[in-house]
Amino acid sequence: MQSQDKTLDYALLGLLALLWGASYIFTKVAVAEIPPVTLIALRVAGAALFLGLVLWIRGEHLPRGWRLWGKLGLQAFFNSIGAWTVLAWGQQHVEAGLASVLNSTSPIFVFLFTREALGGRKLAGALLGLGGVVLIVGVEALAGLGESVAGQLACLVGAMLYAGAALYGRNFARVGALQTALGTMIWATLVLVPLAFVVEAPLSLGPSPMALAATLILAVSCTGLALLVYFRLVRTLGPLGVASQSYLRAGIGVLLGVAVLGERLSLPVVLGLCAAIAGVWMMNGGTRRAAVSAPGAG
């Protein structure tokens, strides 16, 4: 049973990487007509509606208790409100390739923020996976290091927040993935929808059906469904395991480019894909036992 669960976890990890990797394509389509803060607000509000519908269909109830809702608010800051906002700002000042590399460093921060020994197979896997991302994006992307320092630091802060989200997510082991995902999206909606009206003019927009369709997919699939998978994997694979999907996202983006745009694979990209997959495998080997003994809800 354990090996079957592990296979399912790996499959879900690949699905999570696919959903979040594909989000870049839908974001690119939608943001051409919808300003970024408004787009993020629509994304989280749509996800909250989707998750609320699932909760109603299943006959379950919202999380209860002010203390728990306070924790969900902090998780929402780590996972969406803070991370997405700082990354959106940083990516305005950093080349896309370098931003992808910097945004993929969250497994390294998981190591730094925990008491896990900084050595052994898992750390080697984290470094190998990061090297794979560099090969996928292109080594030349590193040439911009040291320029636009504020933007690069913002991308790193976003990766740090993602690492914090993976670690803090262990507090909701007894809450359930659906309730945790819905709670964080309710918090994100309460913060980001008013913010969109303050900094942008959502009611004056007239987006095309294509932009609206991309936004709907972002909300339901790339956010609502993805968060259900994410919080399940935090409980089963643990923080480092779920953070490892950041290495797979770059590879997913390349494969989608090949499938959708007819792009060709170069040898460095193929080597990078192999390194990223190997790194993820090394980080997740033997993590199920550790995940089970991780702290539960506090």
Side-chain angles (χ1 to χ4, degrees), residues 144-211:
L145 279 173
E147 304 172 4
S148 301
V149 175
Q152 294 175 20
L153 286 175
C155 292
L156 285 174
V157 169
M160 290 172 59
L161 290 173
Y162 282 142
L167 290 164
Y168 195 73
R170 294 178 298 181
N171 287 297
F172 307 101
R174 299 191 185 100
V175 178
L178 175 57
Q179 285 80 2
T180 305
L182 177 56
T184 59
M185 287 299 96
I186 289 174
W187 266 111
T189 300
L190 292 174
V191 172
L192 292 171
V193 169
L195 181 63
F197 280 93
V198 170
V199 301
E200 296 168 353
L203 296 182
S204 66
L205 300 174
S208 67
M210 180 176 293

Side-chain angles (χ1 to χ4, degrees), residues 26-32 34-44 196 200 205 211 214-215 218:
F26 297 114
T27 299
K28 186 175 182 179
V29 172
V31 81
I34 303 174
V37 178
T38 299
L39 177 60
I40 295 173
L42 289 171
R43 180 177 179 178
V44 298
E200 296 168 353
L205 300 174
T215 303
L218 275 172

Side-chain angles (χ1 to χ4, degrees), residues 70-160:
K71 290 182 177 182
L72 287 169
L74 183 56
Q75 179 69 24
F77 174 78
F78 284 138
N79 219 41
S80 54
I81 301 170
W84 290 352
T85 302
V86 74
L87 283 170
W89 184 87
Q91 287 172 342
Q92 293 176 336
H93 305 279
V94 179
E95 291 293 329
L98 181 56
S100 297
V101 174
L102 296 174
N103 192 25
S104 298
T105 57
S106 53
I108 305 297
F109 286 110
V110 170
F111 268 104
L112 296 177
F113 294 159
T114 61
R115 292 176 227 159
E116 288 194 55
L118 294 180
R121 182 180 60 189
K122 291 183 180 181
L123 180 57
L127 296 175
L128 178 62
L130 183 60
V133 173
V134 172
L135 287 175
I136 292 169
V137 174
V139 178
E140 62 275 7
L142 299 181
L145 279 173
E147 304 172 4
S148 301
V149 175
Q152 294 175 20
L153 286 175
C155 292
L156 285 174
V157 169
M160 290 172 59

Side-chain angles (χ1 to χ4, degrees), residues 12-29:
L12 289 173
L13 190 67
L15 174 62
L16 182 61
L18 174 62
L19 291 171
W20 279 347
S23 70
Y24 295 109
I25 294 177
F26 297 114
T27 299
K28 186 175 182 179
V29 172

